[in-house]
Amino acid sequence: MQITVDIPDSVTQRLRESLPHSGSSLEEQCRVLLLIYAYRSMLLSGGRLKELLGLDTTLELDALLQEYDVDLHYDADDFERNRQTLLTVERGQPLTA
């Protein structure tokens, strides 16, 4: 879907100066902000956000979210998955996808 938004030039200039990733286009930054909003609103999972933003690791996602003062969602299910992974590694067993 493509969305067009009219924003006065005086505002767009200030946005360009104040948003992270100054090398990115304003259109791309608006896209990132909208996706981060969906993540904060629990409409997107971290995995889906990572996919949509083209990030490879959770560390990259966490770093990006920190730039926008957004916490990485980490719940009991995430903790249990990480605990199971740790136990698997400690036993010397191979990790599965």
Side-chain angles (χ1 to χ4, degrees):
M1 171 189 278
Q2 185 171 342
I3 299 171
T4 303
V5 179
D6 291 322
I7 301 172
D9 290 340
S10 59
V11 175
T12 58
Q13 182 59 36
R14 292 179 69 194
L15 285 171
R16 281 190 177 98
E17 294 167 357
S18 67
L19 290 171
H21 302 286
S22 59
S24 299
S25 70
L26 188 55
E27 291 83 0
E28 178 60 18
Q29 290 194 47
C30 288
R31 179 182 163 287
V32 169
L33 285 170
L34 186 59
L35 291 171
I36 288 173
Y37 175 80
Y39 172 79
R40 287 181 72 180
S41 301
M42 307 293 278
L43 299 172
L44 288 178
S45 68
R48 183 69 174 136
L49 178 60
K50 193 169 57 172
E51 176 187 325
L52 291 169
L53 294 176
L55 303 175
D56 294 321
T57 67
T58 302
L59 290 175
E60 288 176 303
L61 176 61
D62 188 38
L64 177 76
L65 292 174
Q66 285 179 21
E67 291 181 40
Y68 291 93
D69 294 322
V70 176
D71 293 326
L72 186 64
H73 299 161
Y74 192 81
D75 60 18
D77 291 335
D78 295 322
F79 177 81
E80 182 58 27
R81 277 191 299 277
N82 288 341
R83 190 180 78 76
Q84 290 300 324
T85 299
L86 180 60
L87 291 173
T88 300
V89 169
E90 286 178 342
R91 291 184 197 117
Q93 299 171 334
L95 296 174
T96 59

